[in-house]
Amino acid sequence: MTTMHRLRTGALALPETEEGTHFGMPAFSVRGKGFVSLAKDGHVQLRLSAEDAEAALAAHPGAEPVVRAGTPIGVRLPLADVDGKDLDALVRSAWSSRAPKRLVAALDEAGAAAASGDLPGGIGRPATRALLGAGIDTLDRVARHSEAELLALHGVGPKAVRVLKEELAGHGLTLRA
């Protein structure tokens, strides 16, 4: 069973996402454009492209289309009926449909760089995004920075620095003093 905590974590992991309310419901937006909210009855509402909405309706029997002024704008489905991995994908799709194209491209590029770089996955997505955003995409580039410089990046915390130090040590590298 997926929870509001999982929804919140997935939404807030995406760049420039803000949490607020929409008609009293917990809601998430990117640059002022709402992309997901949770109704009081436990249904999650996602703003999706027509393609993504069709796919969601086909994949989730409990889903129903959300229509505004005769135009489909997304889907609504019981949060408890969606597993965490599917929810993350739906939230990412909803975010992508509402975020500025340059922001979506930057996130896609960061994901591709992370897949091709040698940063350890154990540092977490926020730390990976922060490092990639600062142009630090390899362990060699991590080693050019001090612990204080890394901790100053929004998204990089003590755990990420510890994991990075361990990974650096395994490659015979250390952080700059």
Side-chain angles (χ1 to χ4, degrees):
M1 179 169 127
T2 306
T3 64
M4 176 59 188
H5 180 266
R6 177 70 184 247
L7 174 64
R8 177 178 285 120
T9 301
L12 292 175
L14 297 165
E16 299 189 30
T17 295
E18 295 180 351
E19 183 174 3
T21 59
H22 182 69
F23 295 108
M25 300 181 295
F28 300 90
S29 62
V30 56
R31 293 200 183 166
K33 293 183 175 183
F35 64 92
V36 64
S37 62
L38 183 66
K40 291 178 181 158
D41 65 359
H43 282 71
V44 63
Q45 293 185 180
L46 301 131
R47 287 288 296 251
L48 295 169
S49 69
E51 263 178 35
D52 291 339
E54 253 183 68
L57 289 167
H60 302 281
E64 52 194 51
V66 175
V67 179
R68 182 177 293 153
T71 304
I73 62 167
V75 297
R76 181 177 194 277
L77 66 154
L79 181 62
D81 290 354
V82 185
D83 74 20
K85 187 176 175 182
D86 285 346
L87 180 65
D88 289 346
L90 287 168
V91 168
R92 168 75 186 261
S93 294
W95 177 88
S96 294
S97 75
R98 303 289 283 169
K101 299 304 172 212
R102 282 185 290 178
L103 192 56
V104 174
L107 182 61
D108 290 344
E109 187 177 304
S116 65
D118 62 351
L119 296 176
I123 63 174
R125 288 189 300 179
T128 300
R129 273 197 313 276
L131 291 170
L132 293 172
I136 305 168
D137 58 352
T138 65
L139 287 174
D140 287 333
R141 289 188 176 157
V142 170
R144 297 179 195 163
H145 295 81
S146 69
E147 183 171 341
E149 289 170 332
L150 294 175
L151 287 170
L153 296 171
H154 180 71
V156 178
K159 177 188 173 200
V161 170
R162 179 182 50 77
V163 171
L164 287 167
K165 283 179 173 180
E166 290 169 0
E167 192 72 21
L168 286 168
H171 286 84
L173 299 168
T174 61
L175 291 174
R176 191 182 63 165

